[in-house]
């Protein structure tokens, strides 16, 4: 073989092998981290996880109050963030054709999407906690809502822009007003993609810790009162993992397993069923 | 095909023309009046502008909360090395330095790896494997960062302490210039460990954007290069990379923006130290970690304000980095930027 | 293309009188712009009521554009605009003050591609209907049935009214769209190549329904199929490059066109 061609082939081979190695390298970490989480979490897993409250050091307990708190705050975030996000996405996709403002809003929204979540926590601290004078579940839910919002804006904007104009024309041609066309027809046509976006946003906020550290804080006890500090899984994991107690470490791993399983299952299922990419 | 009954048609036509359309109904009251549309338009527009206001609000509230620190310390807040809660003297050089260094280490790992993954997905992987590998890489991004932190603290740091850091001590420590970076007690906690974890976390963000960007290259460009006998690597280097260069840089900036602001993954393994050390093996700090660790302990106004001021600095830096990333990604078209 | 002057073809449809009711829509010096691009040049002609008017012409001549100005659906796109006048029962619909919802409730439109909403078959018809009228469940059902019968779809869907409309075949979807349009009882129905994506049987059904219903509505149909225009239309308008070349009844347009360009087109000498 011509030596030049051969050299090119060799260089090509080296690069492609390196590229393959890079992929294996990243998969290696994925497997290692997941394996650790599963094995450690499974070892500490017990039904009492879902029936008992977070214990003092050395005693047995579970994470019931933390699961509950997380669920409530995630729900609150969805309730606050989804309508605003879908509305904003509607404006971008439906009512701002070709306008400059839409470009600016998309740009800013994308930045918000990647903004450090700890800064969001600080913001809500300044806005709510400091004004009210104490940490609360409301503040935690609000912080999560701010993280969820740009994801929903982005996905609903894209979902609605994928709805063909013919659908809008057909509905408008029936004499329906624009708002009805949008809410009854266009939303329907884009509903799968919008729901995908919301589910992915939920997956994203489920593991968020930083924004809850100084908004919801934590609570050793059960509370359904959103006006008080509220236990939540990520912050409990953080505090327990950083503690010197083995029993707390075990609970932290069990919590980590549950959160990871929830988030990954949601991500995979959504991807498989709705075949859409994650925005982040 | 039934023939049209013209007479009837014409007769009816005449009818319709003369008589007023008796079938006309008015829309249900209020249902089609412009106010409904106006209200809806106004509502959606407010929601969209709310996004702008939110970002502005974050910037303003960080600046406002941190004003006491900025007023008290001035530029010393950025350049000062003392972070002393007792003496109420706060200079953020150490956390800022730690943020930059750990992010730099992360980029050293993430950029080449991500490029490798993108090349693998574009040129090596058979079609059926691309989807699963793509999802697997994206799962790395879906794992909550607190899990990275725990894994780092309980699993990875001990490995670093036991195997990696002693080796670095022995082999890189004696080197000139680079040596001081790798000398120090092998405790596993520190800048290097944090940087590596941060790098692993950042890989999926960069890799998935690069993959999308590579896919945006017009197939005809690639095919014509292949037709000339180019090897896959030559196609990447001569066609794909030049075509996507600005977006590839944008992707790395996006990853950098993420790394700079990451909190939980590094908080566990940085060690929350406020002493400056050249060594990457020594505990350090980062802006996000300092805020996470100390915020609830802040017992004075100036302490709290200093932490919020740190948040402001972080916000400004990530804003700039992310804005640059967006600008570079815009050029290659909408699709390439979907990972924003 | 078939030679339309061939007497065999021409006589395929029953002979009919010149059907020209009083003018329903008077189009006067209509110009249309896609941004800076002018797509219609001073189009002027009348559309009679209670009859079928066909618009023919080569691709890109502005047929769809013309239809889309009549119900002002083009206003979805800010860069498009129309000047001139479209008089509907004596009022210019292009007038800013003309109530759009009112206009569109009077002028329905059926598109080339079927556009069922992601709703059930029943709701596809009932939902727009409920915008105009307060109906009880039974009344709504009756109206849905009536319009489905008009569109010759009732027998095929009567057992699955709550199934998603997206599960219907293309031809069924198109008839559903026609039923939906007829249900709100417009006076005029614009049809933009309604059968071009359909099989011959579905096409035949739709043609049949247009002929059956033409006494109740004013139909304006754009078609590339000259036989279809000949079969259906009481009046035919020929357009070329954004201009209206000639308009007349079937005899005049397909047998004895006055303009040589019309003759070229209907005899297939055109591209
Ligand atoms: N959205 C648009 N933007 C710019 N120009 C357009 C647009 N739609 C149509 N045009 C132009 O306007 C002219 C008329 O188009 P129109 O769609 O009315 O043609 P048509 O007669 O319906 O053609 P066809 O038989 O192919 O449907 C064409 O030259 C076309 O290029
Ligand atoms: Mg057309």
């Amino acid at each position: 073989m011509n030596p030049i061609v051969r050299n090119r082939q060799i260089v090509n081979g080296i690069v492609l092998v390196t590229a393959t190695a890079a992929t294996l390298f990243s998969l290696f970490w994925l497997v290692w981290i997941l394996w650790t989480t599963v094995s450690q979490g499974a070892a500490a897993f017990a039904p009492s996880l879902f029936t008992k409250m977070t214990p003092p050091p050395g005693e047995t307990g579970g994470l019931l109050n933390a699961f509950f708190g997380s669920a409530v705050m995630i729900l609150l975030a969805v309730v606050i963030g989804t309508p605003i996000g879908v509305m904003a996405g509607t404006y971008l996709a439906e009512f701002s054709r070709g306008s400059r403002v839409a470009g600016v809003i998309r740009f800013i929204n994308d930045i918000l999407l990647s903004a450090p979540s700890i800064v969001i926590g600080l913001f809500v601290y300044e806005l709510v906690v400091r004004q009210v004078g104490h940490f609360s579940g409301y503040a935690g839910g609000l912080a999560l809502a701010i993280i969820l919002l740009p994801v929903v804006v982005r996905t609903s904007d894209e979902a609605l822009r994928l709805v063909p104009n013919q659908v809008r024309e057909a509905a408008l041609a029936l004499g329906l007003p624009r708002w009805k066309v949008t809410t009854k027809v266009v939303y329907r046509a884009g509903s799968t993609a919008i729901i995908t976006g919301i589910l992915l946003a939920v997956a994203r906020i489920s593991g968020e810790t930083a924004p809850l550290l100084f908004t919801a804080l934590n609570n050793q006890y059960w509370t359904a009162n959103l006006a008080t500090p509220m236990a939540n899984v990520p912050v409990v994991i953080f505090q327990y993992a950083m503690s010197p107690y083995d029993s707390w470490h075990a609970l932290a791993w069990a919590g980590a397993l549950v959160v990871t399983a929830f988030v990954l299952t949601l991500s995979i299922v959504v991807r498989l069923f709705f075949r859409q990419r994650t925005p982040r | 095909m039934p023939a049209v009954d013209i007479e009837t048609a014409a007769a009816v036509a005449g009818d319709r023309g003369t008589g007023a359309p008796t079938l006309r109904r008015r829309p249900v009251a209020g249902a089609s009046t412009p106010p409904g549309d106006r209200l809806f338009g106004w509502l959606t527009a407010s929601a969209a502008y709310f996004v702008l206001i939110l970002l502005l609000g974050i910037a303003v509230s960080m600046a406002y909360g941190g004003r006491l620190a900025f007023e008290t310390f001035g530029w010393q807040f950025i350049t000062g090395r003392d972070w002393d809660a007792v003496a109420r003297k706060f200079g953020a050089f150490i956390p800022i330095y730690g943020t930059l260094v750990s992010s730099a280490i992360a980029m050293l790992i993430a950029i080449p790896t991500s490029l490798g993954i993108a090349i693998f997905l574009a040129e090596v992987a058979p079609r059926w494997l691309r989807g699963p590998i793509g999802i697997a890489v994206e799962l790395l991004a879906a794992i909550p960062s607190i899990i990275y932190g725990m894994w780092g603290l309980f699993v990875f740091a001990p490995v670093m302490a036991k195997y990696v850091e002693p080796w670095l001590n022995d082999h890189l420590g004696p080197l000139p210039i680079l040596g001081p970076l790798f000398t120090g007690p092998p405790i596993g906690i520190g800048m290097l460990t944090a940087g590596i974890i941060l790098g692993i976390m950042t890989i999926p963000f960069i890799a998935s954007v690069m993959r999308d960007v590579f896919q945006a290259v017009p197939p005809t460009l690639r095919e014509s290069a292949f037709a000339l006998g180019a090897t896959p690597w030559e196609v990447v280097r001569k066609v794909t990379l030049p075509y996507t260069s600005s977006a590839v840089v944008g992707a790395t900036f996006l990853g950098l923006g993420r790394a700079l602001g990451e909190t939980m993954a590094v908080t566990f393994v940085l060690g929350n130290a406020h002493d400056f050390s050249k060594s990457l093996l020594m505990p350090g700090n980062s802006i996000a970690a300092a805020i996470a660790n100390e915020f609830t302990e802040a017992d004075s106004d100036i302490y709290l304000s200093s932490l919020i001021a740190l948040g402001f600095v972080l916000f400004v830096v990530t804003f700039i980095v992310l804005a640059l990333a967006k600008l570079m990604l815009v050029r290659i078209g909408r699709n390439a930027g979907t990972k924003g | 293309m078939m030679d339309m002057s061939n007497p065999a073809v021409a006589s395929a449809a029953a002979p009919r009188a010149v059907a020209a009711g009083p003018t329903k829509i008077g189009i006067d010096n209509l110009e249309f712009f896609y941004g800076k691009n002018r797509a219609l040049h001073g189009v002027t002609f009348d559309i009679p009521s209670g009859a079928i008017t066909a618009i023919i012409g080569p691709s890109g001549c502005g047929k769809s554009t013309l239809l889309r100005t009549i119900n002002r659906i083009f206003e979805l796109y800010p860069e498009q605009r129309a000047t001139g006048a479209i008089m509907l029962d004596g009022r210019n619909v292009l007038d800013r003050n003309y109530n759009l919802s009112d206009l569109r409730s009077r002028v329905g439109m059926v598109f080339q591609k079927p556009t069922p909403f992601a709703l059930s078959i029943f709701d596809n018809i009932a939902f727009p209907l409920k915008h105009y009228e307060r109906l009880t469940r039974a009344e709504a059902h009756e109206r849905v049935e009536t319009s489905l019968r008009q569109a010759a779809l009732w027998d095929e869907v009567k057992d699955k009214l709550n199934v998603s409309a997206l599960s219907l075949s293309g031809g069924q979807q198109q008839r559903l769209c026609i039923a939906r349009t007829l249900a709100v009882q417009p006076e005029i129905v614009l049809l933009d190549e309604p059968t071009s994506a359909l099989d011959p049987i579905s096409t035949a059904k739709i043609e049949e329904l247009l002929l059956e219903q033409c006494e109740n509505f004013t139909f304006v149909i754009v078609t590339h199929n000259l036989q279809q225009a000949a079969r259906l239309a009481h009046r035919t308008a020929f357009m070329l490059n954004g201009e209206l070349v000639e308009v007349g009844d079937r005899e005049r347009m397909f047998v004895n066109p006055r303009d040589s360009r019309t003759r070229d087109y209907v005899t297939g000498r055109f591209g």
Side-chain angles (χ1 to χ4, degrees), chain A residues 88 91-93 95-109 157 161, chain B residues 48-49 52:
Chain A
Y91 176 77
L92 294 177
F95 296 108
S96 67
R97 278 164 200 284
S99 84
R100 265 196 117 89
V101 183
V104 173
I105 293 175
R106 284 197 182 101
F107 184 83
I108 293 297
N109 186 66
D157 176 21
R161 276 192 291 171
Chain B
Y49 282 95
L52 290 186

Side-chain angles (χ1 to χ4, degrees), chain C residues 191-207:
Chain C
L191 304 110
D192 192 353
E193 303 182 41
T195 62
S196 68
L198 304 184
D199 64 294
I201 295 175
S202 302
T203 302
K205 283 194 168 147
I206 287 174
E207 288 187 7

